[in-house]
Amino acid sequence: MFSKHLAVYLFSRAGPLSFKNLVERRWGLFAVHRYSVASHTGNIKTEDKDESQILQPTSGENKADTLELVQNVSVTGVTGVAKIIGNHDEQKNVENISCEGKEFLKATWEDSKTVELAVTKEKEFQTRFVNSNFRTISITAELGASVKPKKLLNRHVSDSRQLTVPRVDSELTEHEQRTALPTSAYNFAAYVDHSETLSSLVKLGVDLSAIEHKGREICDFILKMDFNKNVHPYILFYRKIGVTDDELGKIITKCPYIFQQDLDNLQIRINYLESKRFTPENITEMVVRKPHILLMSTERMDAKLGFYQKKFKLTGHEVRAAIVKYPKLIVFNKDDITENKFNFHELMGFSDEQVKRIFISSPRAFTEPSSLLLARFDFLHNTMGLSHETLVQWSQIFRCRVHILEQRHRYLVSLGRAQYDPKKENYVSLHALVTNVDADWCPEIAKTSVAQFNEFLKTL
Amino acid sequence: MTWGPTLYRMLNGVFCVYKPKGVHCNSVVEHIQRNLARDLNVQPCYPYERKMREINPNPNIKMPSVATEPKSLTTLSDHKLVLGERYIPSDFRVHFVTKLNKHSSGVLVCSVGSGREYLSAIKMARYLRVYHVRGKFGWATDNFSPKGKIRNRSTYHHIKKSILDKVCATVQAGHQRFMFDYAGVAQDSQEAYELAAAGIVRPEHSDTPPVIYGCHVIDFNLPDFALEIHSINETQKYLMKLIHEIGLELRSTAICTQVRRIRYGHFTLEHALLCKHWTAQEIIRNIATCRHLLTPNKLLTDMSITKAEGDIVQQLTDGQKPSLIKHGLDKS
């Protein structure tokens, strides 16, 4: 079996290609794959073929049923011609052969009909055979093209990355629709010129390319939207709560899921926030900074606010202040907050009162990964020798990256300026230590030039 | 504002970074790739962005103003918001030569784009690398670093600088013999004499065991000490182990607290870019400064010139194509 394979391979390789060709097309494989497909009467010819690439089509219980075979074939190679040749007993219909998203053949396949594809780089095409009684189909490639049959299934399989058929403008005739729009595409670019919705979104400043990364479902949803029906009311809603035009595009890019929500529900959520005595300005700011908060139901939002109040023993005003400071808290995972509270309390040794003060002044510290948080505390407390009380006084320090702390602290130590006690002279506050770019920091705090600092950094 | 693809075309060549400790070399590469993509994407990258544009807000405020639609854009499907960023990190082919491990810092020679062709030539040149290695007496850990598990404690007050000097001299002398072995000549032959007379005796290829050409004490302040080590084909693990063995030799134990590469052939600390300078602008500038380190007389180390055939040397001095350098060294 093996030798037969090899012989076919070698023969085909040696055939139409000269040595020069082979050298020129080092990367273009040349091979002939021939395989047979059984009709629904169920006989399979096994010629030289790879078993794994052929699946027997399950024959329908009713023989009159249409049997559809969909076959994804990819053709690769530098340049060349791939042929699809049919051998059959009876007439067969080749429903379509599509290539690169474009259907280019819809014909009844006559005996010994050959379809040729010019291969430039890499092409993937799909054949669908309907009601066919063919015996064998061979796909061959010449001159540096190689054919890889991908799958043979008895039902339509589509690529999960592809977007499905878009909304069709009613003004176009049927013919125009078919010619103008591809049935599937890998991004929005193919549809933007044809779809009023998409072009309006782009004009609003929505980054469609970013939405593409959010998964197929939301892309399909956006593709099928009607601007006046699905988008316009939401824009009016955003304007009503005070979002400015410049921010609209950013918000929709961040959270396109808003279009899947019911408008009445959104209003209910806004009403809920107002009932919790968030001012309209606060609500606008929160929505702009974290539009996802409007996706949460009022029950969950209420539970989340209650969680923070209970966890840190806060008053209503303090909860509001923290949420306004960092709106992501509303959608943030409770477990992570609990874990970080444990870290602050048990592992770092802050008292309950201190943890509360850290939460109020810098709620974002609780959303940092716990390993980073511990590393920062380790450096601040154990290496720099700062007390817990000092850290609480400027708790934003927990958001500073360790390597920045380390570089600047070590530099100050080397200069003899690492003096973090406010009662002595030459005091360097934590705020002064980590804020400002090097160009300002070096002359002001370290009293040296930036070049000297850079030289020092190359000794670390 | 520079046209993005122009910058992209300028990003071809060899540059040199200062790798901070605590990160892997691959993270350094990813970091650089991300930065380059970030820096190029803020420049005009699509044809319509090149042209001057006017933004005219819509006076009827029925709909939000169409502020993102540039005038010179003919079809919306060419818009940046539709097509996405022009450059992604993997567009920049960044590679490095002779890696540094996670715990060490120092000069790392990198290439971007077609500069990669030079990397093999740089590797074949078997440059001398200079390290500053810090050690600390009194401990022994399982991986020779301060973060490993402590295996042993010892005293070190009997150690004097003169004894440490002696041990370092022994290490250096011990490697003299290997130099000729790895260069592929007998130690007491005429060939060995000629090699030694021509300059530094490099190993034959980059797969030989490490060779130490120089080792001396630059700082001694018990329990800390620092050595300057000149070597070829070493690894950072090897240097850490060397510190451990020096500790044992002195009837104590030692851990390695810092490994810093201060020179890689002609690439020195002065050329190296600090982490905060890994931007497109600085890298392009650095490529220009590193270009004069890639001339044939610097890439072809002494031995390879004597062994390479005459016509190849001629070609190199004329055209300096790195692929030819490679072939030349293969033949030699």
Side-chain angles (χ1 to χ4, degrees):
Chain A
M1 200 63 184
F2 174 73
S3 60
K4 193 180 170 189
H5 270 130
L6 195 66
V8 168
Y9 184 70
L10 289 177
F11 172 74
S12 60
R13 206 177 171 124
L17 282 178
S18 66
F19 178 69
K20 194 184 162 206
N21 266 336
L22 270 174
V23 174
E24 277 174 5
R25 308 174 198 285
R26 272 180 300 178
W27 294 286
L29 284 173
F30 178 82
V32 174
H33 295 261
R34 182 183 294 162
Y35 50 93
S36 60
V37 183
S39 68
H40 62 271
T41 48
N43 60 343
I44 296 181
K45 276 187 190 171
T46 48
E47 295 181 21
D48 43 306
K49 52 112 181 81
D50 189 354
E51 283 284 347
S52 64
Q53 289 169 346
I54 294 185
L55 301 170
Q56 186 186 355
T58 50
S59 49
E61 288 178 5
N62 186 353
K63 279 199 173 185
D65 281 354
T66 304
L67 180 73
E68 278 194 23
L69 291 172
V70 174
Q71 194 171 320
N72 286 312
V73 186
S74 72
V75 180
T76 54
V78 183
T79 51
V81 179
K83 286 181 185 172
I84 303 177
I85 307 165
N87 280 331
H88 56 87
D89 295 341
E90 294 167 32
Q91 178 211 3
K92 60 187 177 293
N93 295 323
V94 177
E95 179 80 326
N96 59 47
I97 296 176
S98 55
C99 177
E100 293 179 331
K102 274 185 193 167
E103 183 187 290
F104 68 89
L105 181 97
K106 184 171 184 176
T108 305
W109 220 353
E110 297 300 330
D111 200 13
S112 77
K113 174 103 180 182
T114 305
V115 183
E116 292 193 0
L117 296 168
V119 182
T120 48
K121 250 168 136 188
E122 178 159 353
K123 281 186 178 176
E124 201 160 295
F125 60 90
Q126 200 181 61
T127 55
R128 177 189 285 184
F129 308 99
V130 178
N131 202 11
S132 53
N133 283 332
F134 52 83
R135 281 283 153 77
T136 55
I137 288 179
S138 64
I139 298 177
T140 61
E142 286 174 10
L143 282 177
S146 73
V147 175
K148 272 186 272 171
K150 270 192 169 172
K151 259 179 190 174
L152 189 63
L153 296 173
N154 60 341
R155 59 188 172 78
H156 180 71
V157 195
S158 64
D159 193 316
S160 63
R161 286 174 306 161
Q162 285 189 347
L163 306 168
T164 49
V165 190
R167 187 180 67 83
V168 177
D169 291 323
S170 53
E171 298 96 314
L172 298 174
T173 64
E174 199 185 331
H175 173 70
E176 279 171 337
Q177 286 164 14
R178 219 185 29 247
T179 50
L181 290 174
T183 51
S184 61
Y186 287 101
N187 59 22
F188 284 120
Y191 304 117
V192 167
D193 288 334
H194 303 282
S195 159
E196 191 207 335
T197 316
L198 292 182
S199 49
S200 308
L201 286 177
V202 173
K203 286 171 188 170
L204 278 175
V206 177
D207 193 346
L208 293 182
S209 67
I211 293 179
E212 275 158 23
H213 296 295
K214 293 184 192 287
R216 189 187 161 183
E217 272 179 33
I218 186 67
C219 290
D220 277 351
F221 184 84
I222 284 180
L223 212 50
K224 289 168 190 163
M225 283 192 316
D226 181 75
F227 188 79
N228 291 328
K229 219 172 86 189
N230 301 97
V231 182
H232 198 237
Y234 290 88
I235 292 175
L236 291 182
F237 168 78
Y238 272 137
R239 294 194 117 197
K240 204 174 86 187
I241 61 173
V243 177
T244 59
D245 296 347
D246 304 340
E247 287 154 345
L248 267 178
K250 282 179 206 157
I251 295 183
I252 297 174
T253 309
K254 267 191 200 168
C255 182
Y257 310 100
I258 198 81
F259 297 124
Q260 293 171 328
Q261 300 286 322
D262 192 22
L263 260 182
D264 297 336
N265 283 342
L266 295 183
Q267 190 54 51
I268 289 170
R269 285 161 203 171
I270 295 289
N271 293 344
Y272 168 79
L273 287 174
E274 277 170 358
S275 77
K276 289 288 161 189
R277 290 197 285 159
F278 284 97
T279 63
E281 293 79 41
N282 285 345
I283 294 173
T284 315
E285 202 195 324
M286 281 157 65
V287 170
V288 170
R289 284 177 62 193
K290 194 71 190 170
H292 296 78
I293 57 177
L294 289 182
L295 303 180
M296 278 179 86
S297 67
T298 46
E299 290 85 3
R300 283 179 60 208
M301 225 188 280
D302 192 50
K304 198 51 89 61
L305 294 182
F307 164 79
Y308 287 117
Q309 185 158 22
K310 223 169 139 188
K311 195 87 193 165
F312 296 98
K313 300 191 180 68
L314 304 173
T315 63
H317 179 72
E318 286 165 345
V319 176
R320 269 192 299 277
I323 300 283
V324 170
K325 212 166 212 176
Y326 193 51
K328 198 183 172 184
L329 285 178
I330 296 190
V331 290
F332 205 78
N333 190 355
K334 275 184 201 171
D335 294 347
D336 293 348
I337 299 283
T338 312
E339 191 192 341
N340 270 344
K341 193 192 172 230
F342 177 84
N343 290 339
F344 271 113
H345 195 274
E346 305 290 333
L347 300 187
M348 303 183 204
F350 288 98
S351 71
D352 268 345
E353 176 58 28
Q354 285 171 329
V355 172
K356 182 178 163 180
R357 277 165 62 197
I358 294 173
F359 183 79
I360 292 168
S361 61
S362 172
R364 200 170 165 178
F366 286 81
T367 61
E368 298 281 335
S370 57
S371 57
L372 293 184
L373 211 51
L374 289 169
R376 284 165 201 172
F377 176 78
D378 181 42
F379 189 82
L380 287 164
H381 186 64
N382 297 332
T383 311
M384 289 171 67
L386 299 172
S387 69
H388 287 75
E389 193 50 41
T390 321
L391 296 179
V392 174
Q393 275 168 10
W394 202 69
S395 53
Q396 279 91 330
I397 194 74
F398 286 111
R399 281 177 46 210
C400 180
R401 286 172 292 170
V402 174
H403 77 267
I404 304 234
L405 277 176
E406 191 174 353
Q407 286 174 0
R408 292 192 171 181
H409 168 69
R410 289 251 168 99
Y411 188 50
L412 290 185
V413 168
S414 76
L415 297 172
R417 285 189 166 274
Q419 208 286 94
Y420 305 117
D421 186 354
K423 286 169 194 162
K424 293 178 190 163
E425 60 184 337
N426 289 333
Y427 166 59
V428 177
S429 73
L430 280 181
H431 181 268
L433 180 72
V434 295
T435 45
N436 265 352
V437 289
D438 289 344
D440 297 336
W441 184 82
C442 291
E444 281 173 25
I445 308 298
K447 319 279 187 205
T448 61
S449 68
V450 183
Q452 280 170 306
F453 180 52
N454 290 347
E455 213 155 87
F456 172 79
L457 290 181
K458 286 182 185 176
T459 64
L460 287 181
Chain B
M1 297 295 263
T2 325
W3 175 230
T6 307
L7 286 182
Y8 186 79
R9 256 177 271 123
M10 288 161 86
L11 282 167
N12 282 312
V14 175
F15 62 102
C16 176
V17 298
Y18 187 84
K19 184 190 104 65
K21 72 168 187 184
V23 289
H24 288 284
C25 281
N26 290 335
S27 318
V28 170
V29 167
E30 283 166 16
H31 191 148
I32 293 171
Q33 285 176 324
R34 273 199 308 274
N35 283 3
L36 290 177
R38 179 200 66 196
D39 290 348
L40 261 65
N41 282 328
V42 297
Q43 307 292 340
C45 287
Y46 290 103
Y48 71 86
E49 291 177 313
R50 286 185 99 166
K51 297 166 188 162
M52 296 291 285
R53 63 193 183 191
E54 278 174 35
I55 296 166
N56 46 346
N58 192 350
N60 313 324
I61 316 186
K62 187 182 138 204
M63 271 288 302
S65 61
V66 184
T68 55
E69 189 185 5
K71 258 198 154 180
S72 56
L73 187 66
T74 47
T75 59
L76 264 188
S77 56
D78 291 340
H79 200 291
K80 192 172 190 173
L81 293 176
V82 178
L83 295 178
E85 304 284 18
R86 175 146 183 180
Y87 295 103
I88 56 171
S90 56
D91 286 340
F92 303 93
R93 293 175 296 128
V94 179
H95 298 274
F96 58 86
V97 67
T98 324
K99 77 164 199 174
L100 284 165
N101 74 0
K102 189 181 173 184
H103 302 293
S104 42
S105 56
V107 179
L108 183 69
V109 179
C110 296
S111 75
V112 57
S114 65
R116 191 183 185 183
E117 294 165 10
Y118 283 98
L119 287 194
S120 53
I122 290 172
K123 194 170 183 190
M124 293 221 175
R126 287 148 295 139
Y127 283 143
L128 193 72
R129 301 125 198 201
V130 183
Y131 287 86
H132 278 185
V133 186
R134 292 195 163 273
K136 189 173 197 165
F137 289 114
W139 284 272
T141 55
D142 58 349
N143 59 1
F144 318 125
S145 83
K147 290 194 172 176
K149 283 181 187 161
I150 294 177
R151 290 285 186 236
N152 202 354
R153 297 286 300 269
S154 59
T155 56
Y156 48 80
H157 295 291
H158 59 280
I159 300 173
K160 302 281 180 297
K161 182 165 184 288
S162 56
I163 314 177
L164 184 58
D165 281 334
K166 251 183 215 168
V167 173
C168 287
T170 322
V171 170
Q172 192 176 331
H175 277 264
Q176 298 270 335
R177 191 163 54 82
F178 296 128
M179 270 184 225
F180 293 102
D181 288 356
Y182 301 149
V185 293
Q187 201 180 353
D188 43 5
S189 62
Q190 175 66 20
E191 224 178 345
Y193 170 76
E194 280 164 9
L195 265 183
I200 178 174
V201 185
R202 294 170 203 274
E204 211 165 13
H205 48 83
S206 59
D207 297 332
T208 63
V211 189
I212 290 175
Y213 289 86
C215 175
H216 44 265
V217 185
I218 51 172
D219 184 24
F220 186 78
N221 182 21
L222 279 177
D224 297 298
F225 64 102
L227 305 181
E228 183 171 291
I229 297 176
H230 298 245
S231 58
I232 294 182
N233 286 349
E234 79 303 323
T235 59
Q236 287 75 47
K237 196 84 190 167
Y238 178 82
L239 297 177
M240 290 165 97
K241 199 178 173 191
L242 183 76
I243 295 289
H244 173 73
E245 279 165 5
I246 286 175
L248 292 181
E249 196 69 20
L250 293 166
R251 281 175 295 142
S252 175
T253 50
I255 52 169
C256 178
T257 48
Q258 189 192 32
V259 180
R260 188 163 72 98
R261 189 198 275 164
I262 60 161
R263 189 158 78 81
Y264 184 92
H266 300 284
F267 298 89
T268 61
L269 277 181
E270 281 159 34
H271 301 106
L273 287 177
L274 281 169
C275 181
K276 60 181 177 183
H277 294 141
W278 296 347
T279 59
Q281 196 191 3
E282 291 284 338
I283 287 175
I284 289 172
R285 201 177 296 160
N286 198 264
I287 287 172
T289 53
C290 285
R291 195 164 289 141
H292 72 272
L293 305 178
L294 301 169
T295 49
N297 62 335
K298 285 181 175 149
L299 282 180
L300 281 181
T301 44
D302 299 347
M303 191 170 72
S304 43
I305 289 181
T306 53
K307 285 198 177 180
E309 290 170 20
D311 56 332
I312 290 167
V313 175
Q314 189 57 45
Q315 277 172 345
L316 275 167
T317 40
D318 293 345
Q320 54 165 298
K321 271 195 176 175
S323 55
L324 286 176
I325 295 170
K326 199 174 151 192
H327 289 307
L329 289 178
D330 281 344
K331 274 186 186 174
S332 68

